[in-house]
Amino acid sequence: MRLLGVGMCAAALLLGVAAPPAQAAGGLRDLQGAGWALKETGKDARFRGLAAVSRSTAWVAGSKGTVLRTADGGRSWRDVSPPGAVADGLELRDIEAFDGRRAVALSIGEGEASRVLRTEDGGATWTETFRNPDPRAFYDCLTFFDARHGLAMSDPVDGKFRILSTDDGGRSWRVLPNAGMPDALPGEAGFAASGQCLVAAGPRDVWMATGGGALARVLHSTDRGLTWKAADSTVPAGDPARGVFALAFRDRTRGLALGGDYRAGQASPQAAAVSSDAGRSWRQASTPPPAYRSGAAWFPYGAGTALAVGPTGTDVTGDGGRNWRPLDPGSFDTVACTADGGCWAAGEKGRVGRLERVGRD
């Protein structure tokens, strides 16, 4: 679906958030005094695509066909935009990276605007590996189970969501049969807001977020997209601008759903939900974020710690998504964390931040 688009003392030193293994149980405690340290990109694109590889390496993708890569924690950025994407003004809404050299990016839009691009040399060259031939399809999100197997999702075609599959790292793609896909609700679609409407955990499990219809649903597949089961979330829908915009699964069972109403000034109550059974059922958050949130990520330290971002700020939970509290007021669209404690966020006007903690003197 097309989406229309911390200081603690004066002499404090910004430190990385990463904690050693002995502190891994700290979770929320590790984020006390943390905030987004902006990393100057020199661009004004809106970055809704984000692939965090480590605390030092990350990729962002966005409007005007823009792709940037950093290998030094955001101190400098290399413009590795695909020339064809720039020339065509593509909206690159999702990017998945396996390391600092290999990445796969998705552009969104009706018909041929939906494309997949792949690089094996850090963005020096790109190859277009898929161009959508069907004017009825509109691809929203991309995810990978491992370096070979991945999926992309399109809004419904002939009454069912369409799934694209690769088993060679994005070099080639095929549309999966839709016999195992439940019927879409009238008006139901995905949101190309943060690259998180389709997420995987483990070698075969994948979840899809929806909105726009009478209900906001989460669809789950345990066989890499061949068959799916749908569950109603508690996030309000009933309008093309409302629903679940982002999913995050810590493992095969524990998941978060975030969303709301993306229109500025519109209330977004009950816009967070939690699942502990692989998405078969969802419970409304007791204290949800105060506004629409488009991105979510689990923090690597602390079993119940996660982040949610949106245009009006970042929130954090320490109890697995049941209760959220404000962390930072900055505007971001998407967020991702890595196993070594690196958390990145990206959004409008070229904004990219890395989560850093202010040290006490």
Side-chain angles (χ1 to χ4, degrees):
M1 176 186 291
R2 183 175 298 278
L3 182 62
L4 302 178
V6 182
M8 296 183 70
C9 63
L13 174 67
L14 280 175
L15 301 173
V17 175
Q23 296 178 355
L28 191 59
R29 183 176 65 249
D30 293 323
L31 294 182
Q32 291 178 357
W36 295 111
L38 294 181
K39 307 298 180 179
E40 179 60 44
T41 64
K43 302 292 182 179
D44 63 356
R46 187 162 196 167
F47 294 122
R48 295 185 184 272
L50 168 64
V53 177
S54 67
R55 294 190 67 248
S56 60
T57 302
W59 304 65
V60 290
S63 57
K64 307 174 186 178
T66 308
V67 179
L68 306 181
R69 177 176 58 84
T70 183
D72 57 12
R75 289 190 295 274
S76 63
W77 294 87
R78 182 180 177 187
D79 188 336
V80 295
S81 304
V86 174
D88 291 345
L90 297 183
E91 287 284 335
L92 299 175
R93 296 290 182 93
D94 199 355
I95 186 166
E96 303 289 331
F98 310 116
D99 49 40
R101 297 186 61 79
R102 298 175 298 161
V104 179
L106 172 74
S107 72
I108 61 104
E110 297 174 348
E112 292 191 352
S114 285
R115 306 177 196 177
V116 178
L117 305 170
R118 187 179 189 275
T119 182
E120 296 183 353
D121 54 14
T125 61
W126 293 83
T127 301
E128 181 181 300
T129 60
F130 173 77
R131 182 178 295 204
N132 172 39
D134 192 335
R136 301 170 300 169
F138 186 117
Y139 285 85
D140 299 294
C141 289
L142 179 72
T143 193
F144 275 83
F145 303 92
D146 52 44
R148 292 178 52 205
H149 302 93
L151 302 176
M153 63 161 284
S154 164
D155 290 340
V157 176
D158 294 329
K160 294 186 177 183
F161 286 94
R162 175 170 288 181
I163 302 297
L164 196 65
S165 174
T166 180
D167 60 8
D168 56 11
R171 295 178 181 86
S172 63
W173 298 83
R174 65 186 180 94
V175 174
L176 293 182
N178 67 5
M181 177 68 70
D183 291 340
L185 303 175
E188 189 177 25
F191 290 106
S194 61
Q196 296 178 327
C197 60
L198 186 71
V199 301
R204 304 186 69 83
D205 285 83
V206 59
W207 295 263
M208 181 197 314
T210 80
L215 299 169
R217 302 195 296 174
V218 177
L219 281 66
H220 177 211
S221 170
T222 61
D223 54 12
R224 292 185 184 152
L226 290 175
T227 61
W228 298 78
K229 291 184 178 180
D232 298 342
S233 77
T234 61
V235 175
D239 184 278
R242 294 201 297 261
V244 177
F245 283 71
L247 297 170
F249 273 79
R250 192 172 193 94
D251 48 38
R252 293 184 63 249
T253 59
R254 293 175 293 172
L256 304 172
L258 278 298
D261 189 321
Y262 73 74
R263 294 171 296 189
Q266 295 296 310
S268 293
Q270 305 172 6
V274 181
S275 177
S276 59
D277 58 6
R280 288 190 294 272
S281 64
W282 293 86
R283 304 183 307 280
Q284 179 183 322
S286 300
T287 308
Y292 158 71
R293 295 292 180 255
S294 56
W298 289 95
F299 186 64
Y301 307 127
T305 306
L307 301 163
V309 301
T312 62
T314 298
D315 301 282
V316 63
T317 178
D319 59 7
R322 293 187 294 276
N323 295 280
W324 297 83
R325 64 171 178 80
L327 178 73
D328 186 282
S331 171
F332 292 102
D333 292 312
T334 187
V335 60
C337 294
T338 61
D340 65 354
C343 289
W344 297 81
E348 62 181 343
K349 300 178 181 178
R351 283 171 56 90
V352 178
R354 192 179 69 171
L355 196 66
E356 298 181 0
R357 187 175 59 209
V358 177
R360 292 179 172 86
D361 59 2

